[in-house]
Amino acid sequence: MNELGRRVIVALIGAPLALGIIWIGDAALATMAGGLSAVAAWEFYRIAREGGSTPMSVIGVILSALIPLGVHAQYLGVLTIPLYAWVLTVVAILAAAIWMRGVDGKPLGAASTTVFGALYTGGTISFVYVLRYHNYAVGDTAGALAVIFPVVLTWASDTGAYFAGRLIGGRKLIPSVSPGKTVAGSVGGLVLTVAVAYGFVHWLLVPKAQLGFTPWGLVIFGLAISVVAQIGDLAESLLKREAGVKDSGTVFPGHGGVLDRLDSLFFVLPAAYALYDLLLIPAPGAR
């Protein structure tokens, strides 16, 4: 089977499964987020090692997986994680690096890479759960749409950038980081994202979730999500280029690793949460 066939099969299986878990929410969503975080963290630390860093991978993977589960526990009221617990965790990781790596093992770099890897993966992916239970999203339908909306816009940004770049070409965006990306592609991503945002809000978010945006708020949301998605994609490309790695992993046949598939969402999910707080408005009585 060729690469395109593998990509299609993975998408046909993975997309409905992910949508179903997002709809169910609760422990299922937290478990999926924790699993993806763990794999993404493992891939991140592999790239870091290829680049010359010495992260404490096991500690980082465990911490990354626990962050979404901790968010779930806090939402249920089972566990409240105070600020000092996070600070002590960072201090403990630094202490572990000193003990496990020693001077020659660059303990400061090891601790920094370990903490950053956990936050970059588990810390950002956990926002899928926070979005699902956003204060403005009442009910399962609204909660699911609150998650799906920025995910769809991320896909629209990637699609618009790909086709505009292929059709128009022209000046490269940042060739030293990602030689294939063009300025025209970036603009195409912005335009398609705003267009898809308008359709999603008009046909789904307003009638099904009774949530919406002002006209300018919708434009700002679409543009911001596209910009953030493109930055997330470039950030992961930079990490791989620095380490001399082509793909982050092989978890998804034809698609690469979890980092390759979720690179934009690491930036988009927390950004969408902040933008919801700033721009989302109720649309009561909408049908």
Side-chain angles (χ1 to χ4, degrees), residues 8 32 42 67 138 165 171 193 224:
V8 170
M32 180 184 75
W42 184 262
I67 292 175
V138 180
R171 181 181 175 183
T193 303

Side-chain angles (χ1 to χ4, degrees), residues 73-124:
Q74 188 151 329
Y75 175 81
L76 294 178
V78 175
L79 176 66
T80 300
I81 304 175
L83 178 61
Y84 68 77
W86 296 107
V87 175
L88 288 176
T89 299
V90 174
V91 172
I93 289 174
L94 178 58
I98 295 171
W99 179 263
M100 297 170 64
R101 293 290 185 261
V103 176
D104 295 334
K106 301 178 180 178
L108 182 58
S112 301
T113 306
T114 302
V115 172
F116 176 76
L119 294 177
Y120 175 61
T121 55
T124 57

Side-chain angles (χ1 to χ4, degrees), residues 23 37 41 52 57 84 110-111 117 120 136 173 180 198 213-214 226 272-273 283-284:
W23 176 269
S37 298
S57 301
Y84 68 77
Y120 175 61
Y136 295 166
L173 185 62
Y198 175 82
F213 297 85
T214 65
S226 181
Y273 182 83

Side-chain angles (χ1 to χ4, degrees), residues 55 152 172 197 257:
V152 168
K172 300 297 183 181

Side-chain angles (χ1 to χ4, degrees), residues 137-173:
V138 180
D140 291 335
T141 299
L145 289 175
V147 176
I148 295 169
F149 184 36
V151 174
V152 168
L153 294 190
T154 301
W155 170 82
S157 180
D158 290 344
T159 303
Y162 175 79
F163 284 106
R166 290 290 297 271
L167 291 173
I168 301 173
R171 181 181 175 183
K172 300 297 183 181
L173 185 62

